[in-house]
Amino acid sequence: MRRREFITLLGSAAAAWPLAARAQQGGGRVQRIGVLSAFAEADPEVQAALTAFRQALQKLGWTDGSNIRIDSRWGEANPTRIRAQVKELVGLNPDVLLVSTALVLQPLLEESRSIPIVFTQIADPVSAGFVASLARPGGNVTGFPVASFATFAKLLEVLKEVAPHVTRVAVIFDQDQGPQAGMLRAIEANAPAFKVQVTAVGARNAAELENAIDQFAREPNGGLIVLPNPVTLGNQRLIVDLAARHRLPAAYSYRYIVAQGGLISYGVDLLDQYRQAASYVDRILRGEKPGELPVQAPTKFELVVNLKTARALGLTIPPAFPLRADEVIE
């Protein structure tokens, strides 16, 4: 063999080695990843997040249909449906599970304490009892929380900043999801400092959401804080429309809701959470234990305001506010 041919062959083999090595993990078998989302399959934001997850996995050498198989299930914010899908996915005995929200993680931990789990879209997992600590979660769970409970009090702060006339705030939450109570308590604890009366509004479906907001809007000087959960996120268009109809300033946790007409948001970049989740799935597939992978608390939060919505509500945004916002939507 000529020297140039040998060098070319050697270079090709070296380039192919990382992918080949990953394909050989687990004794050469295809690794199985279970994905259980609390949301509907048709939700475009969920699909965008899972696309980000798959793309990040591919960059790490894992391709669905090649060296991994991804089994996805969709909860549609229905606890009964989610419990059935938990049993179904656990029965497939996946190598790792990716889950979103406490509405999924709670029944999953009741079903399995051995299958590795990486979570997203969960608040304060230590206080919620899902992990022992952020540094050493222990057990079979690790992941990427959206915030501590205390962070959700920031929603009240920014709402009052853009709508100082608000003296009544309805906090819309899901009473079936444990961590939501912690978020609510953090907002209630800060309400006196902002001279605001907080009303807790539990809602499990669109009809309950609409009825609760209609009832709350009958009195003046109201505003909304919409906590992130499968019910509110699955009905985000309805909530935005109701807030506009009743002229209620509303604060949300995710940017994309403000892009669809919501007033203001403060929270993490969800797509980035799913990209990070792919890095932990990769490490678990390569043999690391989830209980030894630190839970990664977010370090950056996005503040986004929609000035068009503010004008429609008759609000005058303080001049300095858009200057410190991460994004201003006209």
Side-chain angles (χ1 to χ4, degrees), residues 36-41 73-79 81-82 85 103-104:
L36 182 47
S37 170
F39 305 97
E41 184 175 4
R73 299 293 185 273
W74 313 94
E76 299 181 359
N78 183 321
R81 177 183 173 90
I82 287 170
Q85 291 178 333
L103 198 61
V104 171

Side-chain angles (χ1 to χ4, degrees), residues 15 20 29 37 95 111 126 130 160 185 198 217 219 242 302:
R29 67 181 177 85
S37 170
D95 296 283
E111 193 69 26
V126 176
F130 294 134
K160 280 288 288 186
R185 286 194 297 270
V198 170
E219 299 292 331
L242 287 169
E302 300 176 314

Side-chain angles (χ1 to χ4, degrees), residues 22-23 28-35 53-54 57 61-73 88-89 92-98 281 285:
R22 290 183 185 273
R29 67 181 177 85
V30 173
Q31 303 266 43
R32 198 162 196 167
I33 301 172
V35 174
F53 172 71
R54 290 190 184 94
L57 278 179
W62 302 101
T63 302
D64 191 17
S66 177
N67 55 355
I68 57 170
R69 172 177 173 174
I70 299 178
D71 298 295
S72 300
R73 299 293 185 273
E88 185 178 334
L89 273 181
L92 296 176
N93 195 31
D95 296 283
V96 60
L97 285 162
L98 173 70
V281 168
L285 291 178

Side-chain angles (χ1 to χ4, degrees), residues 87-118:
K87 290 182 179 295
E88 185 178 334
L89 273 181
V90 168
L92 296 176
N93 195 31
D95 296 283
V96 60
L97 285 162
L98 173 70
V99 303
S100 65
T101 81
L103 198 61
V104 171
L105 185 55
Q106 286 171 193
L108 182 55
L109 287 176
E110 293 170 10
E111 193 69 26
S112 175
R113 290 282 179 173
S114 58
I115 297 174
I117 299 169
V118 177

Side-chain angles (χ1 to χ4, degrees), residues 135-148:
R136 293 190 66 83
N140 61 324
V141 181
T142 188
F144 300 86
V146 292
S148 66

Side-chain angles (χ1 to χ4, degrees), residues 58-282:
Q58 194 159 20
K59 288 180 180 179
L60 294 165
W62 302 101
T63 302
D64 191 17
S66 177
N67 55 355
I68 57 170
R69 172 177 173 174
I70 299 178
D71 298 295
S72 300
R73 299 293 185 273
W74 313 94
E76 299 181 359
N78 183 321
T80 302
R81 177 183 173 90
I82 287 170
R83 287 187 178 278
Q85 291 178 333
V86 162
K87 290 182 179 295
E88 185 178 334
L89 273 181
V90 168
L92 296 176
N93 195 31
D95 296 283
V96 60
L97 285 162
L98 173 70
V99 303
S100 65
T101 81
L103 198 61
V104 171
L105 185 55
Q106 286 171 193
L108 182 55
L109 287 176
E110 293 170 10
E111 193 69 26
S112 175
R113 290 282 179 173
S114 58
I115 297 174
I117 299 169
V118 177
F119 66 76
T120 61
Q121 293 181 257
I122 286 177
D124 215 330
V126 176
S127 297
F130 294 134
V131 297
S133 71
L134 297 183
R136 293 190 66 83
N140 61 324
V141 181
T142 188
F144 300 86
V146 292
S148 66
F149 291 154
T151 304
F152 288 90
K154 183 74 174 180
L155 291 174
L156 179 59
E157 178 185 332
V158 297
L159 179 63
K160 280 288 288 186
E161 192 169 353
V162 299
H165 70 282
V166 167
T167 57
R168 302 167 50 249
V169 172
V171 179
I172 303 177
F173 75 112
D174 180 0
Q175 57 266 54
D176 291 331
Q177 196 169 321
Q180 297 265 296
M183 303 178 199
L184 174 61
R185 286 194 297 270
I187 295 168
E188 289 175 331
N190 283 268
F194 294 100
K195 297 181 172 58
V196 165
Q197 176 187 350
V198 170
T199 300
V201 177
R204 295 185 174 91
N205 53 54
E208 290 184 4
L209 279 171
E210 186 164 10
N211 180 63
I213 293 174
D214 286 345
Q215 292 284 339
F216 178 79
R218 292 179 179 179
E219 299 292 331
N221 300 323
L224 305 177
I225 292 177
V226 184
L227 297 183
N229 61 63
V231 176
T232 57
L233 296 177
N235 292 283
Q236 65 203 29
R237 183 71 262 170
L238 171 65
I239 296 172
V240 168
D241 289 346
L242 287 169
R245 181 196 308 168
H246 294 297
R247 298 178 64 81
L248 293 170
Y252 307 87
S253 290
Y254 299 131
R255 174 208 170 274
Y256 66 85
I257 305 176
V258 177
Q260 294 174 8
L263 174 62
I264 196 166
S265 67
Y266 182 78
V268 299
D269 180 345
L270 273 184
L271 296 186
D272 189 54
Q273 274 217 326
Y274 279 80
R275 294 186 192 102
Q276 292 182 77
S279 70
Y280 268 17
V281 168
D282 168 59

